[in-house]
């Protein structure tokens, strides 16, 4: 699992509430990523980080923000959750030259 | 806009059969093509990867075939076993691009019957 943990693993929330998902790594990797997984779409990149306080957008970044104040933690925030953000969220780290390793995922349901 | 198209969406084979999953890409700048295997409730796990300077790569019972001119690559699972039942994703990236971002196909659910 490349030393990646995600919390919470499951969350149910209501539309309009803020939600923060946490990704924690133990191996001091520079690059970290947030993806969402939806049926038929594979995994789509939301945001990624290339260092402390250094982040950039992915292909589906609208409605999401991220922060990285420490190398080991990468936070994903939904400022005001919507039903379209119901999904499984995966964090990944970049290990080696090109390879990404994924965490166990967080299943988020927005009612 | 899906830059990596994966087919079929699902596949059923008998034990010992050879499921084949195909992916096609549009961006000729892609130069790294990994395959991930995902079991229910788990995160995707890297299975095997190939670069465009080779046409085939084997790791155990898993083989990637790569056709650069056709912009296609495929995964073959030799002598498939029920334990291979999972969802498989192809992906592509540009190794030296900022962020080394992966673009995924839509996934193929493979069921291997005993």
């Amino acid at each position: 699992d490349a030393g990646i943990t995600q919390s919470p693993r499951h969350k149910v929330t209501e539309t309009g509430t803020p939600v923060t998902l946490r990704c924690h790594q133990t191996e001091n990797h520079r690059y970290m990523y947030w993806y969402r997984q939806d049926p038929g779409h594979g995994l789509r990149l939301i945001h990624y980080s290339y260092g402390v306080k250094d982040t950039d957008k992915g292909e589906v970044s609208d409605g999401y923000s991220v922060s990285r104040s420490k190398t080991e933690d990468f936070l994903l925030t939904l400022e005001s959750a919507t039903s379209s953000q119901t999904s499984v969220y995966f964090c990944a780290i970049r290990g080696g030259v090109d390879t990404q390793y994924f965490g166990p995922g967080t299943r988020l349901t927005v009612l | 806009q899906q830059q990596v198209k994966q087919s079929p969406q699902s596949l059923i084979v008998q034990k010992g059969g050879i499921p084949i999953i195909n992916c096609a890409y549009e961006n000729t700048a892609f130069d790294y093509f990994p395959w991930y295997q995902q079991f229910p409730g788990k995160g995707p796990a890297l299975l095997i990867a190939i670069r465009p300077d080779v046409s085939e790569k084997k790791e155990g019972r898993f083989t990637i075939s790569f056709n650069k001119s056709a912009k296609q690559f495929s995964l073959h699972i030799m002598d498939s076993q029920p334990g291979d039942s999972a969802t498989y994703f192809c992906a592509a990236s540009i190794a030296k691009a900022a962020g080394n971002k992966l673009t995924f196909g839509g996934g193929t659910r493979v069921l291997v019957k005993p």
Side-chain angles (χ1 to χ4, degrees), chain A residues 54-75:
Chain A
D54 293 323
T55 65
D56 204 351
K57 295 179 180 181
E59 72 176 288
V60 290
S61 59
D62 287 349
Y64 301 95
S65 63
V66 290
S67 65
R68 192 169 179 198
S69 59
K70 299 185 291 184
T71 298
E72 59 266 34
D73 289 325
F74 191 30
L75 304 181

Side-chain angles (χ1 to χ4, degrees), chain A residues 11-19 78-86 108-111:
Chain A
K11 187 171 181 66
V12 179
T13 191
E14 294 189 350
T15 298
T17 60
V19 176
L78 291 66
E79 300 290 348
S80 178
T82 67
S83 58
S84 65
Q85 293 175 313
T86 292
L108 176 68
T109 302
V110 183
L111 301 175

Side-chain angles (χ1 to χ4, degrees), chain B:
Chain B
Q1 180 184 356
Q2 189 172 16
Q3 294 190 53
V4 179
K5 295 184 178 179
Q6 184 171 346
S7 63
Q9 289 186 321
S10 63
L11 199 50
I12 301 174
V13 298
Q14 293 295 132
K15 177 182 174 182
I18 306 176
I20 301 172
I21 305 168
N22 300 299
C23 286
Y25 61 97
E26 299 168 8
N27 189 344
T28 55
F30 286 144
D31 58 3
Y32 177 70
F33 302 89
W35 285 88
Y36 285 83
Q37 179 188 55
Q38 185 180 30
F39 294 105
K42 304 293 185 181
L46 179 67
L47 190 61
I48 185 173
I50 197 168
R51 300 186 189 278
D53 54 342
V54 297
S55 60
E56 186 176 276
K57 183 175 181 179
K58 295 181 181 180
E59 285 188 7
R61 295 182 294 104
F62 299 92
T63 299
I64 300 178
S65 298
F66 187 83
N67 186 329
K68 187 175 182 178
S69 61
K71 293 187 289 185
Q72 295 176 348
F73 57 110
S74 61
L75 177 71
H76 296 59
I77 307 174
M78 304 303 186
D79 187 27
S80 60
Q81 302 296 312
D84 297 328
S85 297
T87 300
Y88 293 82
F89 294 94
C90 63
S93 69
I94 304 169
K96 296 185 177 180
N100 186 234
K101 295 171 280 188
L102 284 171
T103 300
F104 282 84
T108 298
R109 184 172 293 182
V110 174
L111 175 63
V112 181
K113 291 189 170 182

Side-chain angles (χ1 to χ4, degrees), chain A residues 14-100:
Chain A
E14 294 189 350
T15 298
T17 60
V19 176
T20 295
L21 308 182
R22 179 180 182 243
C23 177
H24 179 79
Q25 57 136 335
T26 59
E27 298 179 1
N28 205 36
H29 294 286
R30 178 184 173 194
Y31 284 84
M32 299 182 74
Y33 306 81
W34 276 108
Y35 291 86
R36 60 177 288 173
Q37 183 176 38
D38 305 289
H41 290 277
L43 291 94
R44 292 179 291 174
L45 181 65
I46 304 171
H47 282 279
Y48 71 98
S49 169
Y50 49 98
V52 173
K53 293 184 169 41
D54 293 323
T55 65
D56 204 351
K57 295 179 180 181
E59 72 176 288
V60 290
S61 59
D62 287 349
Y64 301 95
S65 63
V66 290
S67 65
R68 192 169 179 198
S69 59
K70 299 185 291 184
T71 298
E72 59 266 34
D73 289 325
F74 191 30
L75 304 181
L76 177 71
T77 298
L78 291 66
E79 300 290 348
S80 178
T82 67
S83 58
S84 65
Q85 293 175 313
T86 292
S87 187
V88 181
Y89 292 85
F90 287 99
C91 174
I93 58 91
R94 179 176 163 183
V97 177
D98 301 312
T99 307
Q100 291 185 26

